[in-house]
Amino acid sequence: MSARRILILEDQNVVALDVASMLEDRGYYPVIVCNSAEGANRAIDLALPDLGIVDLGRRERRKRLDTAARLADHACPVLFLTDGANPLHDLPEAMRDYEVIVKPFSDTCVLRTVETLVTGTGPLDLDLPGDAVAAALTRPDRSDERLS
């Protein structure tokens, strides 16, 4: 796989570093980790990533959504992470079809979703356990009742 730039906007350091390490192990480089929307926007100013992973936490939620919109405006795919307690029904209409992964998540689920978004063709040569589970968890039901 050729090097792909990934931006992670996540304020939980353990989660951010775990995802970054997982992606780097699969050949993604560089993986830029930011714990604030301001930092993520500075990173975008320096170089547009191939994928943005944005946590939908309550902290800086509006700014995080603005960062996701900025990425999308540049045709950069966005993957949302959420802990399940944060609602999805308040997402802007244009973002309601974005991929969402609910924490806690498996490495398989994240890697398959990232590969699909980056290549635009689906997972390629991922020899990972739990394929059926990952496929079921990649696109959770987005009904308001589920996470609100």
Side-chain angles (χ1 to χ4, degrees), residues 57-108:
R58 288 189 173 91
R59 185 174 154 246
E60 290 191 319
R61 186 173 174 97
R62 174 59 22 216
K63 290 180 181 180
R64 289 166 183 263
L65 291 173
D66 290 346
T67 300
R70 182 174 179 208
L71 290 166
D73 286 346
H74 292 286
C76 177
V78 176
L79 167 62
F80 285 136
L81 302 179
T82 182
D83 63 10
N86 297 311
L88 298 177
H89 66 273
D90 68 338
L91 291 176
E93 187 68 34
M95 295 181 183
R96 292 197 180 157
D97 288 332
Y98 287 15
E99 294 294 331
V100 178
I101 295 179
V102 179
K103 300 174 195 174
F105 45 76
S106 70
D107 291 1
T108 303

